[in-house]
Amino acid sequence: MKTTKILIVGANGQLGTVMTEALQQRFGLANVISSDLVNKEQHQGAFETLDATNYDQLQQITVNHGITQIYHLAAILSASGENNPLYTWEVNMKALLNVLEVARKYNMDRVFYPSSIAVFGPAVNKEFTSQDSYLNPTTVYGISKAAGENWCQYYFKRYGLDVRSLRYPGVVGYQSMPGGGTTDYAVDIFHKAIASETYHCFLKPDTRLPMIFMEDAIEATLQLMSTPKSNIKIRTSYNLSGLSFSPLELSREIKKHIPDFKIVYEPDFRQNIAESWPRKINDKDARMDWGWMPSYSLESLTETMLSKLSQKLKPVS
Ligand code: NAD
Ligand code: AKB
């Protein structure tokens, strides 16, 4: 049996930072190679500088390290994507196709591709969006993720490549900062609350969105990737649910711990993006096929974010 050697593409990002550590713990430091556009020296173990839109670089790293699995996390997210639509399409699609091609050519065991709730648009039942809802995304990011999911299924059906994917909701974690998404407010708000600053929220108070705590997002990914192949019935991408809340509900929960916390609402272009997305996700297929069950509620997410961030951001005396 060959040793599992994992390449993480986009390892410096919000998810990559935490995913790298989780995979290193599970597979050993020597078997996980992190990569991104620049080396910020934030990871233990081997790091490779990689622009995933460059096939030759990706191939070289694959050969040099004998890579058997790729976790492809690099992307331009929803809000940043709207500032430069064609560049976003170019990065999101080219990088994915390079990953799929290199994985096919080198007969890799498995590939992980994160999709998003952004694949959904105005056509769905927003209150409980089911797996097979019609996809009519309104952002270039959502369009690229919907196309990406279909490419993953194509590589599975045509070449037998074992690509697995999750439609993550907005990820909330204390370990890293989010990068250019519409759900970023749900992390930023905690940083302001702890700094005793007013939070200027770019969404309206009642904008409820699907979210997931970082620990749950990582657990779901590891669970999906270790499930026997025969249990994976969906080869586009699995709906995944954690919890749902609005800025008003989150701010009320924060105020239970920090009564003086203040939030003001100044919606911008991200409001339209948020309004095009589901408010709650139905993930019954993930629960049925590989036993998914989230652990965090709004109460436990808020408590954990506040206590972990307070420890992390405490001034050194
Ligand atoms: P992020 O923006 O924080 O990180 C993305 C990383 O990709 C960055 O470190 C960036 O430098 C890197 N990158 C960009 N272009 C690259 C390129 N050409 N080559 C190599 N690296 C490149 O994103 P994230 O929040 O960590 O998200 C990871 C993945 O999960 C993305 O595919 C995203 O669409 C998906 N996702 C994230 C969320 C969320 O809430 N964080 C929700 C749904 C889906
Ligand atoms: C974003 O807001 O763009 C991401 C996502 C939900 O895909 N967090």
Side-chain angles (χ1 to χ4, degrees):
M1 230 171 80
K2 55 183 177 180
T3 311
T4 299
K5 278 267 184 175
I6 297 175
L7 175 67
I8 305 175
V9 178
N12 291 350
Q14 188 198 6
L15 268 155
T17 301
V18 190
M19 192 82 79
T20 301
E21 222 179 290
L23 288 170
Q24 285 173 341
Q25 268 167 24
R26 182 160 294 201
F27 292 94
L29 202 56
N31 296 320
V32 179
I33 288 86
S34 52
S35 74
D36 207 301
L37 290 170
V38 289
N39 188 357
K40 294 188 176 165
E41 301 192 351
Q42 65 184 72
H43 298 293
Q44 287 191 288
F47 181 94
E48 292 282 358
T49 303
L50 167 67
D51 178 349
T53 63
N54 182 325
Y55 181 82
D56 293 339
Q57 274 182 14
L58 180 61
Q59 176 167 252
Q60 197 60 55
I61 292 168
T62 295
V63 171
N64 288 352
H65 291 277
I67 298 298
T68 65
Q69 297 189 7
I70 298 182
Y71 285 62
H72 172 47
L73 306 180
I76 311 292
L77 274 67
S78 60
S80 304
E82 290 311 290
N83 294 327
N84 203 342
L86 295 185
Y87 171 73
T88 301
W89 178 258
E90 172 75 10
V91 171
N92 291 4
M93 296 318 299
K94 190 132 199 270
L96 172 63
L97 290 173
N98 284 346
V99 165
L100 292 174
E101 254 317 277
V102 87
R104 178 192 69 78
K105 186 168 169 195
Y106 291 92
N107 218 1
M108 289 193 196
D109 299 338
R110 226 156 272 191
V111 172
F112 176 69
Y113 174 65
S115 185
S116 163
I117 54 162
V119 294
F120 297 113
V124 302
N125 171 1
K126 287 191 196 305
E127 296 305 331
F128 205 37
T129 306
S130 60
Q131 178 68 43
D132 53 4
S133 300
Y134 184 67
L135 306 185
N136 65 337
T138 57
T139 59
V140 68
Y141 171 67
I143 297 170
S144 72
K145 289 293 181 186
E149 291 183 358
N150 281 299
W151 272 110
C152 291
Q153 177 165 260
Y154 181 86
Y155 267 73
F156 172 72
K157 288 192 168 164
R158 174 89 197 258
Y159 305 114
L161 182 66
D162 190 356
V163 197
R164 304 174 181 201
S165 175
L166 295 172
R167 289 173 178 156
Y168 287 132
V171 179
V172 182
Y174 53 87
Q175 301 93 331
S176 48
M177 291 305 287
T182 304
T183 57
D184 295 10
Y185 91 84
V187 177
D188 299 340
I189 193 172
F190 285 102
H191 286 260
K192 293 292 181 195
I194 282 171
S196 305
E197 288 176 29
T198 298
Y199 182 59
H200 295 253
C201 185
F202 56 77
L203 297 181
K204 290 183 187 168
D206 60 347
T207 315
R208 184 168 295 142
L209 286 170
M211 300 281 184
I212 191 165
F213 194 52
M214 180 66 84
E215 270 72 354
D216 273 342
I218 298 292
E219 182 54 36
T221 311
L222 298 183
Q223 223 177 305
L224 174 77
M225 291 301 277
S226 60
T227 293
K229 198 172 170 182
S230 56
N231 288 14
I232 308 290
K233 306 279 192 267
I234 291 171
R235 287 295 179 169
T236 47
S237 188
Y238 276 98
N239 271 13
L240 184 75
S241 151
L243 67 166
S244 281
F245 56 77
S246 67
L248 180 63
E249 288 162 336
L250 180 56
S251 67
R252 282 188 177 143
E253 200 54 43
I254 292 173
K255 275 185 200 192
K256 288 184 190 166
H257 302 266
I258 306 176
D260 290 340
F261 173 63
K262 287 195 177 48
I263 181 166
V264 292
Y265 298 96
E266 293 163 358
D268 64 17
F269 74 100
R270 288 167 281 193
Q271 182 65 34
N272 280 342
I273 300 179
E275 280 175 16
S276 76
W277 289 352
R279 289 159 69 84
K280 194 167 180 221
I281 294 289
N282 177 344
D283 63 357
K284 77 171 171 44
D285 293 271
R287 291 174 190 239
M288 210 165 55
D289 292 356
W290 43 276
W292 169 240
M293 183 64 77
S295 300
Y296 282 81
S297 62
L298 181 56
E299 291 75 16
S300 55
L301 176 150
T302 306
E303 246 178 67
T304 314
M305 283 297 286
L306 288 173
S307 73
K308 293 283 188 186
L309 270 182
S310 309
Q311 282 168 29
K312 198 175 161 187
L313 304 175
K314 207 163 39 191
V316 190
S317 50

